Each structure stands twice: as structure tokens, then as C-alpha cells.
Amino acid sequence: MQRVAPRAEVLLAARGVSRRFGAQVALAPTDLEVFAGDVLALVGPNGAGKSTMLALLAGALDPTTGTVERLGGARVGWAPQRPGHYARLSAFENLRLFARLAEEADPEAAAERLVQRYELPNSNQLSGDLSVGMRQRLNLAIAQLGSPRVLLLDEPTASLDQEQRRRLWETIAAQTEAGGSVVFATQNVEEVERATRVARLRDGELVA
């Protein structure tokens, strides 16, 4: 795995983290650092451990061993593959709720801004009734609440159209230019080429 300059600020670090589900090893003990300015791609086949690594970094899973450190209290935003929102609320209601949890100064304004940016329905339509692509847009919008310094994105473009993919990469560029970082899982070769670093996983182990 290619490293950035050693003086780069570390925002997030996995120290010997592993995860087991019963007898199954989803991720072997792994060290990984996320630097300011990183666009770090996690690549590997299905079942390699990419989603597990992201969930551990996000704090959505507790490691079986090891620790995850957020240096300087860096806030993390996470967009999992599965819907990370409430199906019985509208897109706007979800964003407003999560904006409050993220301590946004004006939850209503933050929700409205992201509804417009991601072209989400500003209606009473329940998010559980949205298309797969719309639900993914909502996941990505929620991840950006609270001005996170690190964005963790699991296959973020899989259900997006070309225009929304372009906007997402604009968001990623703005994130890193502001001194933040992005870690994303992908199997798309073109997207890997956009990364500043690549971490390859196979059978739950970091191999390069």
C-alpha cells in the first residue's frame, strides 16, 4: 500500500483491529491510518473485509481485538451500503433528525440544503418507498451532516446515475481540499484511479 508523506496529519487509525462473527474471521488483525488529504480506496472481492473495515472505522461495529482512534476528535461520517435511515420518515424528516443528532446549528436549513443538492423528494414520501438510487443518495447526504472530517463510503456510486456520481466526486474533492479525507470501498477500476492511496483486502487480510 502506497503511503503519503510521513508528516501528513493522521485523522483516523486502526490499531490491530479484527472482527469475528462466531468462528468466522471477517477481518484479521489490521493496522491502517487515514491521513488528512487522503482519498483511500479499499479494494478486493466480495467478502474481502471492506465493509467490515469501514464499519469498524465508523464505530458501527466493535472490534473483537484492537482499537480505532479518532485523532484530535475528528468527526466521522459514514454511508453504508444498506439504508442507514428510518424507512417510515421522509427524506427531509430523516435529514432533519440526523442534523439534530449531528448538532447542526440549523437542522431545517441543513436538511433543505442536502435535499436540493442530492435532488431528493421534498415531500411526504417515505424513504422506505424510494428507489434504490434515491436511498443511496439519502445515505450519502446523511453522512455529510455535522461537517465530518473523514467520510467513510461503502460502494458509494453503485446506485447513482452519471450526474450524481459527478457531484459526489466534487464533494470528495472539496472534502480533501479542506483538509479532510475520504475512505471508500469499490470494485470499479476507474474509481480506484481517482484514489491517492489503495489498500487491498483479501480473505479478511490487508495484503497491499
Side-chain angles (χ1 to χ4, degrees):
M1 181 173 61
Q2 181 181 357
R3 289 184 60 89
V4 299
R7 292 184 180 178
E9 179 186 7
V10 178
L11 301 181
L12 190 63
R15 311 290 190 193
V17 296
S18 70
R19 177 69 189 194
R20 286 179 173 268
F21 296 96
Q24 179 187 2
V25 178
L27 187 72
T30 301
D31 294 320
L32 184 70
E33 292 182 323
V34 180
F35 300 93
D38 260 349
V39 181
L40 173 59
L42 301 181
V43 300
N46 291 336
K50 303 186 300 294
S51 294
T52 300
M53 172 60 81
L54 287 173
L56 289 166
L57 291 174
L61 275 180
D62 291 327
T64 303
T65 63
T67 59
V68 174
E69 301 175 4
R70 297 184 183 185
L71 286 301
R75 186 187 288 267
V76 172
W78 181 46
Q81 278 187 297
R82 294 182 179 180
H85 43 78
Y86 294 99
R88 296 178 67 90
L89 296 178
S90 69
F92 178 83
E93 288 169 337
N94 267 289
L95 285 165
R96 182 175 58 190
L97 171 63
F98 283 99
R100 288 170 178 163
L101 294 175
E103 300 179 343
E104 287 275 359
D106 189 339
E108 296 267 346
E112 183 60 38
R113 170 174 52 83
L114 288 167
V115 162
Q116 293 180 8
R117 175 164 182 78
Y118 282 93
E119 297 179 345
L120 294 164
N122 196 356
S123 66
N124 293 325
Q125 183 179 9
L126 301 182
S127 63
D129 295 331
L130 297 175
S131 67
V132 173
M134 284 288 188
R135 291 199 297 269
Q136 178 65 357
R137 293 185 196 183
L138 181 54
N139 262 9
L140 292 167
I142 290 171
Q144 292 175 47
L145 289 165
S147 301
R149 243 192 120 185
V150 182
L151 282 175
L152 305 172
L153 311 176
D154 198 349
E155 301 281 356
T157 65
S159 303
L160 300 184
D161 59 32
Q162 185 173 355
E163 175 61 18
Q164 287 296 329
R165 290 184 183 189
R166 182 186 65 79
R167 293 187 184 185
L168 176 61
W169 285 108
E170 287 178 353
T171 297
I172 288 173
Q175 176 82 5
T176 56
E177 287 170 6
S181 59
V182 177
V183 184
F184 68 101
T186 187
Q187 296 188 49
N188 186 313
V189 175
E190 292 182 3
E191 292 180 357
V192 173
E193 292 175 352
R194 292 176 178 265
T196 59
R197 290 198 298 150
V198 177
R200 302 184 185 278
L201 290 144
R202 185 174 62 234
D203 297 327
E205 294 188 0
L206 189 64
V207 295

PDB file of all heavy atoms in Angstrom, residues 84-107:
ATOM      1  N   GLY A  84     -29.161   3.567   5.876  1.00  0.00           N
ATOM      2  CA  GLY A  84     -28.829   3.939   7.246  1.00  0.00           C
ATOM      3  C   GLY A  84     -29.787   4.982   7.778  1.00  0.00           C
ATOM      4  O   GLY A  84     -29.374   5.862   8.532  1.00  0.00           O
ATOM      5  N   HIS A  85     -31.046   4.863   7.390  1.00  0.00           N
ATOM      6  CA  HIS A  85     -32.041   5.859   7.789  1.00  0.00           C
ATOM      7  C   HIS A  85     -33.346   5.156   8.130  1.00  0.00           C
ATOM      8  O   HIS A  85     -33.462   3.930   8.031  1.00  0.00           O
ATOM      9  CB  HIS A  85     -32.241   6.883   6.669  1.00  0.00           C
ATOM     10  CG  HIS A  85     -32.328   6.288   5.297  1.00  0.00           C
ATOM     11  ND1 HIS A  85     -33.447   5.679   4.800  1.00  0.00           N
ATOM     12  CD2 HIS A  85     -31.387   6.186   4.318  1.00  0.00           C
ATOM     13  CE1 HIS A  85     -33.227   5.247   3.584  1.00  0.00           C
ATOM     14  NE2 HIS A  85     -31.973   5.528   3.262  1.00  0.00           N
ATOM     15  N   TYR A  86     -34.336   5.949   8.553  1.00  0.00           N
ATOM     16  CA  TYR A  86     -35.606   5.396   9.009  1.00  0.00           C
ATOM     17  C   TYR A  86     -36.601   5.329   7.857  1.00  0.00           C
ATOM     18  O   TYR A  86     -36.958   6.348   7.263  1.00  0.00           O
ATOM     19  CB  TYR A  86     -36.164   6.241  10.148  1.00  0.00           C
ATOM     20  CG  TYR A  86     -35.311   6.172  11.399  1.00  0.00           C
ATOM     21  CD1 TYR A  86     -34.392   7.181  11.691  1.00  0.00           C
ATOM     22  CD2 TYR A  86     -35.402   5.086  12.271  1.00  0.00           C
ATOM     23  CE1 TYR A  86     -33.595   7.109  12.826  1.00  0.00           C
ATOM     24  CE2 TYR A  86     -34.617   5.012  13.396  1.00  0.00           C
ATOM     25  CZ  TYR A  86     -33.711   6.020  13.672  1.00  0.00           C
ATOM     26  OH  TYR A  86     -32.927   5.951  14.793  1.00  0.00           O
ATOM     27  N   ALA A  87     -37.082   4.115   7.576  1.00  0.00           N
ATOM     28  CA  ALA A  87     -37.954   3.896   6.425  1.00  0.00           C
ATOM     29  C   ALA A  87     -39.297   4.607   6.558  1.00  0.00           C
ATOM     30  O   ALA A  87     -39.927   4.935   5.552  1.00  0.00           O
ATOM     31  CB  ALA A  87     -38.178   2.395   6.220  1.00  0.00           C
ATOM     32  N   ARG A  88     -39.738   4.862   7.793  1.00  0.00           N
ATOM     33  CA  ARG A  88     -41.066   5.448   7.996  1.00  0.00           C
ATOM     34  C   ARG A  88     -41.026   6.975   8.108  1.00  0.00           C
ATOM     35  O   ARG A  88     -42.021   7.603   8.468  1.00  0.00           O
ATOM     36  CB  ARG A  88     -41.726   4.838   9.233  1.00  0.00           C
ATOM     37  CG  ARG A  88     -41.996   3.334   9.094  1.00  0.00           C
ATOM     38  CD  ARG A  88     -42.613   2.770  10.362  1.00  0.00           C
ATOM     39  NE  ARG A  88     -43.949   3.298  10.572  1.00  0.00           N
ATOM     40  CZ  ARG A  88     -45.066   2.740  10.108  1.00  0.00           C
ATOM     41  NH1 ARG A  88     -44.985   1.628   9.384  1.00  0.00           N
ATOM     42  NH2 ARG A  88     -46.243   3.267  10.351  1.00  0.00           N
ATOM     43  N   LEU A  89     -39.870   7.564   7.788  1.00  0.00           N
ATOM     44  CA  LEU A  89     -39.746   9.017   7.712  1.00  0.00           C
ATOM     45  C   LEU A  89     -39.438   9.406   6.278  1.00  0.00           C
ATOM     46  O   LEU A  89     -38.849   8.628   5.521  1.00  0.00           O
ATOM     47  CB  LEU A  89     -38.623   9.520   8.624  1.00  0.00           C
ATOM     48  CG  LEU A  89     -38.786   9.322  10.136  1.00  0.00           C
ATOM     49  CD1 LEU A  89     -37.551   9.853  10.856  1.00  0.00           C
ATOM     50  CD2 LEU A  89     -40.049   9.979  10.654  1.00  0.00           C
ATOM     51  N   SER A  90     -39.793  10.622   5.904  1.00  0.00           N
ATOM     52  CA  SER A  90     -39.439  11.124   4.574  1.00  0.00           C
ATOM     53  C   SER A  90     -37.948  11.448   4.532  1.00  0.00           C
ATOM     54  O   SER A  90     -37.271  11.475   5.571  1.00  0.00           O
ATOM     55  CB  SER A  90     -40.251  12.372   4.247  1.00  0.00           C
ATOM     56  OG  SER A  90     -39.835  13.456   5.074  1.00  0.00           O
ATOM     57  N   ALA A  91     -37.443  11.722   3.336  1.00  0.00           N
ATOM     58  CA  ALA A  91     -36.035  12.099   3.207  1.00  0.00           C
ATOM     59  C   ALA A  91     -35.736  13.342   4.033  1.00  0.00           C
ATOM     60  O   ALA A  91     -34.739  13.394   4.770  1.00  0.00           O
ATOM     61  CB  ALA A  91     -35.698  12.331   1.731  1.00  0.00           C
ATOM     62  N   PHE A  92     -36.603  14.357   3.933  1.00  0.00           N
ATOM     63  CA  PHE A  92     -36.384  15.589   4.681  1.00  0.00           C
ATOM     64  C   PHE A  92     -36.427  15.329   6.186  1.00  0.00           C
ATOM     65  O   PHE A  92     -35.591  15.839   6.936  1.00  0.00           O
ATOM     66  CB  PHE A  92     -37.430  16.637   4.306  1.00  0.00           C
ATOM     67  CG  PHE A  92     -37.294  17.927   5.064  1.00  0.00           C
ATOM     68  CD1 PHE A  92     -36.382  18.892   4.647  1.00  0.00           C
ATOM     69  CD2 PHE A  92     -38.044  18.164   6.207  1.00  0.00           C
ATOM     70  CE1 PHE A  92     -36.234  20.076   5.363  1.00  0.00           C
ATOM     71  CE2 PHE A  92     -37.909  19.348   6.919  1.00  0.00           C
ATOM     72  CZ  PHE A  92     -37.002  20.297   6.494  1.00  0.00           C
ATOM     73  N   GLU A  93     -37.392  14.531   6.636  1.00  0.00           N
ATOM     74  CA  GLU A  93     -37.509  14.240   8.071  1.00  0.00           C
ATOM     75  C   GLU A  93     -36.295  13.491   8.579  1.00  0.00           C
ATOM     76  O   GLU A  93     -35.805  13.748   9.691  1.00  0.00           O
ATOM     77  CB  GLU A  93     -38.779  13.445   8.331  1.00  0.00           C
ATOM     78  CG  GLU A  93     -40.056  14.261   8.178  1.00  0.00           C
ATOM     79  CD  GLU A  93     -41.301  13.403   8.171  1.00  0.00           C
ATOM     80  OE1 GLU A  93     -41.205  12.178   7.848  1.00  0.00           O
ATOM     81  OE2 GLU A  93     -42.385  13.934   8.473  1.00  0.00           O
ATOM     82  N   ASN A  94     -35.778  12.553   7.777  1.00  0.00           N
ATOM     83  CA  ASN A  94     -34.552  11.850   8.161  1.00  0.00           C
ATOM     84  C   ASN A  94     -33.391  12.824   8.299  1.00  0.00           C
ATOM     85  O   ASN A  94     -32.653  12.796   9.291  1.00  0.00           O
ATOM     86  CB  ASN A  94     -34.210  10.791   7.115  1.00  0.00           C
ATOM     87  CG  ASN A  94     -34.768   9.426   7.438  1.00  0.00           C
ATOM     88  OD1 ASN A  94     -34.311   8.760   8.366  1.00  0.00           O
ATOM     89  ND2 ASN A  94     -35.764   8.992   6.671  1.00  0.00           N
ATOM     90  N   LEU A  95     -33.236  13.686   7.307  1.00  0.00           N
ATOM     91  CA  LEU A  95     -32.118  14.636   7.333  1.00  0.00           C
ATOM     92  C   LEU A  95     -32.241  15.602   8.503  1.00  0.00           C
ATOM     93  O   LEU A  95     -31.248  15.914   9.159  1.00  0.00           O
ATOM     94  CB  LEU A  95     -32.050  15.389   6.007  1.00  0.00           C
ATOM     95  CG  LEU A  95     -31.495  14.583   4.842  1.00  0.00           C
ATOM     96  CD1 LEU A  95     -31.800  15.257   3.516  1.00  0.00           C
ATOM     97  CD2 LEU A  95     -30.001  14.367   5.002  1.00  0.00           C
ATOM     98  N   ARG A  96     -33.432  16.055   8.772  1.00  0.00           N
ATOM     99  CA  ARG A  96     -33.622  16.969   9.902  1.00  0.00           C
ATOM    100  C   ARG A  96     -33.297  16.275  11.220  1.00  0.00           C
ATOM    101  O   ARG A  96     -32.638  16.848  12.099  1.00  0.00           O
ATOM    102  CB  ARG A  96     -35.062  17.487   9.907  1.00  0.00           C
ATOM    103  CG  ARG A  96     -35.346  18.493  11.027  1.00  0.00           C
ATOM    104  CD  ARG A  96     -36.752  19.048  10.902  1.00  0.00           C
ATOM    105  NE  ARG A  96     -37.741  17.962  10.949  1.00  0.00           N
ATOM    106  CZ  ARG A  96     -39.032  18.125  10.679  1.00  0.00           C
ATOM    107  NH1 ARG A  96     -39.496  19.309  10.298  1.00  0.00           N
ATOM    108  NH2 ARG A  96     -39.857  17.101  10.755  1.00  0.00           N
ATOM    109  N   LEU A  97     -33.735  15.019  11.365  1.00  0.00           N
ATOM    110  CA  LEU A  97     -33.444  14.256  12.589  1.00  0.00           C
ATOM    111  C   LEU A  97     -31.947  14.067  12.764  1.00  0.00           C
ATOM    112  O   LEU A  97     -31.386  14.343  13.839  1.00  0.00           O
ATOM    113  CB  LEU A  97     -34.147  12.899  12.523  1.00  0.00           C
ATOM    114  CG  LEU A  97     -33.771  11.900  13.627  1.00  0.00           C
ATOM    115  CD1 LEU A  97     -34.167  12.434  15.004  1.00  0.00           C
ATOM    116  CD2 LEU A  97     -34.433  10.544  13.370  1.00  0.00           C
ATOM    117  N   PHE A  98     -31.279  13.599  11.717  1.00  0.00           N
ATOM    118  CA  PHE A  98     -29.840  13.348  11.825  1.00  0.00           C
ATOM    119  C   PHE A  98     -29.057  14.658  11.945  1.00  0.00           C
ATOM    120  O   PHE A  98     -27.982  14.680  12.549  1.00  0.00           O
ATOM    121  CB  PHE A  98     -29.350  12.522  10.641  1.00  0.00           C
ATOM    122  CG  PHE A  98     -29.683  11.064  10.746  1.00  0.00           C
ATOM    123  CD1 PHE A  98     -30.771  10.522  10.071  1.00  0.00           C
ATOM    124  CD2 PHE A  98     -28.916  10.216  11.535  1.00  0.00           C
ATOM    125  CE1 PHE A  98     -31.096   9.177  10.177  1.00  0.00           C
ATOM    126  CE2 PHE A  98     -29.224   8.865  11.657  1.00  0.00           C
ATOM    127  CZ  PHE A  98     -30.322   8.349  10.968  1.00  0.00           C
ATOM    128  N   ALA A  99     -29.591  15.741  11.396  1.00  0.00           N
ATOM    129  CA  ALA A  99     -28.948  17.049  11.557  1.00  0.00           C
ATOM    130  C   ALA A  99     -28.961  17.465  13.025  1.00  0.00           C
ATOM    131  O   ALA A  99     -27.986  18.036  13.536  1.00  0.00           O
ATOM    132  CB  ALA A  99     -29.647  18.093  10.700  1.00  0.00           C
ATOM    133  N   ARG A 100     -30.056  17.179  13.708  1.00  0.00           N
ATOM    134  CA  ARG A 100     -30.114  17.487  15.143  1.00  0.00           C
ATOM    135  C   ARG A 100     -29.128  16.635  15.926  1.00  0.00           C
ATOM    136  O   ARG A 100     -28.439  17.127  16.822  1.00  0.00           O
ATOM    137  CB  ARG A 100     -31.536  17.254  15.656  1.00  0.00           C
ATOM    138  CG  ARG A 100     -32.546  18.299  15.174  1.00  0.00           C
ATOM    139  CD  ARG A 100     -33.967  17.903  15.503  1.00  0.00           C
ATOM    140  NE  ARG A 100     -34.924  18.928  15.094  1.00  0.00           N
ATOM    141  CZ  ARG A 100     -36.214  18.728  14.961  1.00  0.00           C
ATOM    142  NH1 ARG A 100     -36.739  17.514  15.187  1.00  0.00           N
ATOM    143  NH2 ARG A 100     -37.021  19.717  14.587  1.00  0.00           N
ATOM    144  N   LEU A 101     -29.050  15.353  15.578  1.00  0.00           N
ATOM    145  CA  LEU A 101     -28.104  14.460  16.257  1.00  0.00           C
ATOM    146  C   LEU A 101     -26.665  14.880  16.003  1.00  0.00           C
ATOM    147  O   LEU A 101     -25.797  14.698  16.860  1.00  0.00           O
ATOM    148  CB  LEU A 101     -28.322  13.025  15.791  1.00  0.00           C
ATOM    149  CG  LEU A 101     -29.666  12.388  16.169  1.00  0.00           C
ATOM    150  CD1 LEU A 101     -29.799  11.011  15.537  1.00  0.00           C
ATOM    151  CD2 LEU A 101     -29.830  12.296  17.682  1.00  0.00           C
ATOM    152  N   ALA A 102     -26.417  15.447  14.814  1.00  0.00           N
ATOM    153  CA  ALA A 102     -25.071  15.910  14.456  1.00  0.00           C
ATOM    154  C   ALA A 102     -24.800  17.317  14.971  1.00  0.00           C
ATOM    155  O   ALA A 102     -23.733  17.878  14.706  1.00  0.00           O
ATOM    156  CB  ALA A 102     -24.891  15.872  12.948  1.00  0.00           C
ATOM    157  N   GLU A 103     -25.774  17.882  15.691  1.00  0.00           N
ATOM    158  CA  GLU A 103     -25.648  19.206  16.308  1.00  0.00           C
ATOM    159  C   GLU A 103     -25.421  20.305  15.273  1.00  0.00           C
ATOM    160  O   GLU A 103     -24.639  21.230  15.482  1.00  0.00           O
ATOM    161  CB  GLU A 103     -24.536  19.219  17.360  1.00  0.00           C
ATOM    162  CG  GLU A 103     -24.784  18.220  18.494  1.00  0.00           C
ATOM    163  CD  GLU A 103     -23.675  18.208  19.538  1.00  0.00           C
ATOM    164  OE1 GLU A 103     -22.579  18.721  19.254  1.00  0.00           O
ATOM    165  OE2 GLU A 103     -23.921  17.689  20.640  1.00  0.00           O
ATOM    166  N   GLU A 104     -26.117  20.189  14.133  1.00  0.00           N
ATOM    167  CA  GLU A 104     -26.113  21.269  13.153  1.00  0.00           C
ATOM    168  C   GLU A 104     -26.779  22.496  13.775  1.00  0.00           C
ATOM    169  O   GLU A 104     -27.777  22.383  14.483  1.00  0.00           O
ATOM    170  CB  GLU A 104     -26.874  20.849  11.895  1.00  0.00           C
ATOM    171  CG  GLU A 104     -26.162  19.836  11.021  1.00  0.00           C
ATOM    172  CD  GLU A 104     -25.189  20.492  10.055  1.00  0.00           C
ATOM    173  OE1 GLU A 104     -25.091  21.738  10.064  1.00  0.00           O
ATOM    174  OE2 GLU A 104     -24.547  19.745   9.286  1.00  0.00           O
ATOM    175  N   ALA A 105     -26.254  23.669  13.493  1.00  0.00           N
ATOM    176  CA  ALA A 105     -26.797  24.903  14.073  1.00  0.00           C
ATOM    177  C   ALA A 105     -28.241  25.141  13.645  1.00  0.00           C
ATOM    178  O   ALA A 105     -29.067  25.615  14.435  1.00  0.00           O
ATOM    179  CB  ALA A 105     -25.922  26.092  13.682  1.00  0.00           C
ATOM    180  N   ASP A 106     -28.552  24.818  12.390  1.00  0.00           N
ATOM    181  CA  ASP A 106     -29.908  24.996  11.861  1.00  0.00           C
ATOM    182  C   ASP A 106     -30.299  23.715  11.137  1.00  0.00           C
ATOM    183  O   ASP A 106     -30.073  23.582   9.929  1.00  0.00           O
ATOM    184  CB  ASP A 106     -29.947  26.196  10.903  1.00  0.00           C
ATOM    185  CG  ASP A 106     -31.356  26.565  10.482  1.00  0.00           C
ATOM    186  OD1 ASP A 106     -32.256  25.709  10.572  1.00  0.00           O
ATOM    187  OD2 ASP A 106     -31.555  27.721  10.061  1.00  0.00           O
ATOM    188  N   PRO A 107     -30.898  22.743  11.852  1.00  0.00           N
ATOM    189  CA  PRO A 107     -31.231  21.452  11.242  1.00  0.00           C
ATOM    190  C   PRO A 107     -32.143  21.571  10.029  1.00  0.00           C
ATOM    191  O   PRO A 107     -31.967  20.831   9.051  1.00  0.00           O
ATOM    192  CB  PRO A 107     -31.917  20.693  12.380  1.00  0.00           C
ATOM    193  CG  PRO A 107     -31.361  21.303  13.629  1.00  0.00           C
ATOM    194  CD  PRO A 107     -31.182  22.748  13.302  1.00  0.00           C
TER     195      PRO A 107
END
